Each structure stands twice: as C-alpha cells, then as structure tokens.
Amino acid sequence: MTEPATVKAALTSQSIETPSWAYGNSGTRFKVFARPGVPRTPQEKLDDAAKVHEFTGAAPTVALHIPWDTVDDYAALAAHARDRGLTLGTVNANTFQDDDFRLGSVCHPDPAVRRKALDHLLACVDIMDATGSRDLKLWFADGTNYPGQDDVRERQDRLAEALAAVYERLGGDQRMLLEYKLFEPAFYTTDVPDWGTAYAHCLKLGPRAQVVVDTGHHAPGTNIEFIVATLLREGRLGAFDFNSRFYADDDLMVGAADPFQLFRIMYEVVRGGGLTADVAFMLDQCHNIEEKIPAIIRSVMNVQEATAKALLVDREALATAQRTGDVLEANAVLMDAYNTDVRPLLAEVREEQGLDGDPMAAYRRSGWATKTAEERIGGQQAGWGA
C-alpha cells in the first residue's frame, strides 16, 4: 500500500497547464455565448489563469495559441505572467483558420501554401525563444473530404518534410509535440488521424519529437489507457490534452463524461513513471455555457482526484492477483482505489500548502467574477465567432 506521505508528495508536485483559449468565449458552429468579464487581451487571460493557480496551487503554467494570443512583445508577456506567479508554457500553432488552408496547410498540394504554413510554425518557435517556452504543440486540420481529392502518400511526404524543418529549428531543450485526431474537419482522410501515425513521424525525427494524447480524439470504445501505456513504454508520451467527450471531440471538462476512464489513464501514468517523466499535463477545453474560471478550477481538481486514486492503488496486491490469475481480485484492487473518496486527502494537501481546502468555495468568496464583470467593459472579448 502506498504511504500517505508519498501520495501527498506526488500530488503536491503535480502541475497542470491551463489553456489561454479556455478563458475566452467559445461555442459551437451554431452560437458562441458571451459572458460578462471575459478577458479581452492575452494579459487579462493570464490574470484569470493566476486565479486558478492561486486557489488550486497546481496550475502554474499557461499555454498560448498563436495567433489568438499575438502580442507585440512576447518577453513582456512572459514578464506579465511571472508577475502573477505564472510562466508561459506550450505554444500552440494555428494552421486551420486561414482561407489559404482550405485544402490543408503543410500537406497542401500548393508549395506556396505549404511555405506559408511552415513559416508560421517557425515563427512559433521564435515566440518560444522569447517566452522561454519548452514545447511547440502541432495539430493539423489537414486532410481530404473525397476519394481522389489528393494523393494520400504524397501528403505524408509533405508532412514529414515540414516536421523535419521545424524539428531542425528547435533549440536547447525545446520539444515538438505532435497531436492526432480521428476526424474533423476532414471527413475522408485525416493526415494525422491516430497515435500510430504521430508516433511514426516522431520516431523518424528524434527524441525531442513526442506524441500528444488528446483524450477526446479517439473513436468510441478506444482503450486510451493502452495507448498511454505503450507510448510511455516507448518513451514517446510528451503530453496530454485533457478534456471529456460524449460523442466526438466535445472539449468538455475533463472527467465529466467518464471519470473512471480518467482514473484508468492516470493509473497507467503512475504505473509507467509518467508523473516523474517529462510528460506535460494540459487542459484543452472550451467552456461554452458555464463560467470559465470555475470550470477550469473544477477540471484541475478532477485531474488531481483521478491522480490521487491512481496513487492509492495497492500495486503489490494487484501484482499478486495478476500473477496468480485471480481476475476478480485484481479488478477489485483497482475498484477499491477508484471508489475511495480522496477529497479529504486533497483538502489536506492544499491546506498544508497554505491554500483553502475547497478551491471552488475560495474562488466564489474572492469576488473576482464580480470585479472583472465590472472592470472589463468595452473592447473586444477574446474568443471566436460563430
């Protein structure tokens, strides 16, 4: 049985990166619902992110999305983050919102369009240099809608060429994180549709090319924890994009649809040494109808709770049951950990850090929502229209 002190130490050191875009307005292709107090600038997004970290103690980094978070001075933006107890984390490239990318970006049949996309990716590395960010995260909407639309094999060649150019540009300890997605917006072929494709490209590039597992990017019934275990075993799991989905890539709060799945994933992370490896734990969510900051706080807490339960698995008892073929006992060991109420334990961890044991209640008492609703009047709220 894992000692409580060991569990507490692991939870205290856990860091969960929040996404800048989750603090802005978002929605569906039908409607984006604006809310009072939503940030208007990247700086105001960081101000909100600082509140999440203030009340959870577990969210010290914020991911940027370019061009959504474009500023004139990225070093100054990094200083703004530091002034609020944060650092700037992963830089996310955007090659899916330009009219030129209708037929793809780095996989586009036109070399001029491919060059434009590559220049954007290289500019993102420049931003990493200015902010001190370690990771560049790449997700491509590239694909085709109809059989015969483009040469599937040639598109993989174009993708490999672009990735190699970006990898060559990385400096120091910077990493490339390659994300995959089953479908959408392309509906016939997607150029990076699964973990195997992402892994194959990363394997050719080198050790600083790693795979991102977005928990919403799989076909129904996919055993995500198997993918996690395999990538950890191969040393190629670079990051998570945590969210939850009921149908496809819904980007709902992590743990909302299937908290047991999140627990199973985190058990494989614990089992595979992922808590102490260079695996980035990130949220990738859109809060369409709920308040942004409380939803992000709740999401951080959900990851913490799943992690705590995973740490409580009696691995010695589990190994014994597995060796002896005791199927029911092995399952029972996992279920005992999953059914444990870890909220009191996490409250203790927070209180020992000088935090309120209940982050949600502490945020409500802070008055931050009222303050920002009163002060953030005028200007253009961050987000995207539909």
Side-chain angles (χ1 to χ4, degrees):
M1 179 69 71
T2 307
E3 293 295 327
T6 303
V7 174
K8 286 184 175 181
L11 293 170
T12 301
S13 63
Q14 186 177 33
S15 175
I16 300 161
E17 185 165 289
T18 68
S20 68
W21 53 96
Y23 297 98
N25 289 323
S26 59
T28 69
R29 61 191 177 94
F30 301 106
K31 174 67 176 174
V32 171
F33 296 99
R35 296 191 68 92
V38 163
R40 297 161 296 180
T41 65
Q43 290 82 359
E44 288 182 349
K45 293 178 185 177
L46 293 174
D47 295 343
D48 283 0
K51 290 299 172 182
V52 174
H53 185 47
E54 176 183 340
F55 296 116
T56 65
T61 62
V62 181
L64 300 180
H65 210 299
I66 308 299
W68 299 343
D69 295 313
T70 297
V71 295
D72 293 331
D73 188 336
Y74 288 99
L77 186 65
H80 184 90
R82 288 194 297 273
D83 288 344
R84 281 143 186 81
L86 304 170
T87 57
L88 298 181
T90 306
V91 173
N92 292 257
N94 182 322
T95 57
F96 53 87
Q97 284 189 315
D98 189 299
D99 286 345
D100 285 343
F101 299 148
R102 180 171 59 90
L103 300 179
S105 61
V106 296
C107 300
H108 198 286
D110 185 342
V113 176
R114 297 200 300 273
R115 182 70 243 181
K116 178 178 180 177
L118 178 58
D119 286 345
H120 171 69
L121 303 184
L122 296 176
C124 286
V125 182
D126 293 339
I127 292 170
M128 294 167 63
D129 292 341
T131 59
S133 300
R134 180 187 65 170
D135 293 336
L136 173 69
K137 181 145 68 70
L138 304 178
W139 172 72
F140 298 105
D142 293 39
T144 64
N145 276 5
Y146 296 99
Q149 176 182 324
D150 200 359
D151 188 293
V152 173
R153 179 167 177 152
E154 284 188 10
R155 292 180 73 90
Q156 288 297 306
D157 292 340
R158 299 167 198 158
L159 173 63
E161 182 180 1
L163 293 177
V166 177
Y167 190 83
E168 180 66 24
R169 168 63 183 83
L170 296 176
D173 62 351
Q174 291 175 341
R175 306 189 305 174
M176 173 194 296
L177 304 178
L178 183 58
E179 187 174 353
Y180 58 90
K181 188 177 184 181
L182 176 66
F183 77 103
E184 190 191 37
F187 291 103
Y188 174 60
T189 62
T190 300
D191 290 314
V192 191
D194 51 40
W195 72 273
T197 305
Y199 174 69
H201 281 284
C202 288
L203 204 58
K204 279 191 173 183
L205 290 168
R208 289 185 293 142
Q210 302 276 306
V211 179
V212 178
V213 174
D214 184 305
T215 51
H217 284 188
H218 304 85
T222 299
N223 190 314
I224 300 174
E225 56 267 34
F226 173 82
I227 298 170
V228 170
T230 300
L231 290 173
L232 274 171
R233 182 174 178 270
E234 297 299 322
R236 290 288 175 163
L237 179 61
F240 281 99
D241 271 357
F242 282 128
N243 53 52
S244 195
R245 62 98 188 249
F246 285 96
Y247 298 106
D249 181 25
D250 305 327
D251 280 350
L252 300 173
M253 287 168 45
V254 59
D258 189 351
F260 185 46
Q261 179 191 67
L262 181 59
F263 160 75
R264 299 193 310 266
I265 289 170
M266 291 311 302
Y267 173 71
E268 292 302 333
V269 170
V270 171
R271 167 69 179 82
L275 288 184
T276 55
D278 287 331
V279 178
F281 299 96
M282 301 181 284
L283 303 180
D284 181 12
Q285 303 176 174
C286 292
H287 303 295
N288 301 340
I289 59 175
E290 64 269 34
E291 292 182 73
K292 317 300 180 185
I293 298 176
I296 297 171
I297 290 175
R298 175 60 67 189
S299 298
V300 170
M301 293 171 66
N302 288 349
V303 175
Q304 290 180 307
E305 288 175 16
T307 304
K309 292 180 179 185
L311 288 163
L312 288 174
V313 172
D314 188 336
R315 291 172 61 180
E316 183 177 340
L318 181 61
T320 298
Q322 290 170 341
R323 282 195 305 268
T324 59
D326 193 336
V327 176
L328 293 179
E329 179 60 21
N331 179 250
V333 171
L334 280 181
M335 295 309 299
D336 284 345
Y338 176 68
N339 289 323
T340 302
D341 184 358
V342 296
R343 290 173 297 178
L345 173 64
L346 282 162
E348 284 183 29
V349 169
R350 295 182 188 112
E351 289 165 358
E352 289 171 4
Q353 292 178 281
L355 305 173
D356 192 294
D358 185 344
M360 292 290 286
Y363 171 74
R364 296 293 187 195
R365 290 194 304 269
S366 74
W368 184 254
T370 301
K371 173 180 167 62
T372 54
E374 293 173 348
E375 294 180 352
R376 294 174 183 173
I377 304 297
Q380 180 66 45
Q381 289 186 330
W384 49 275

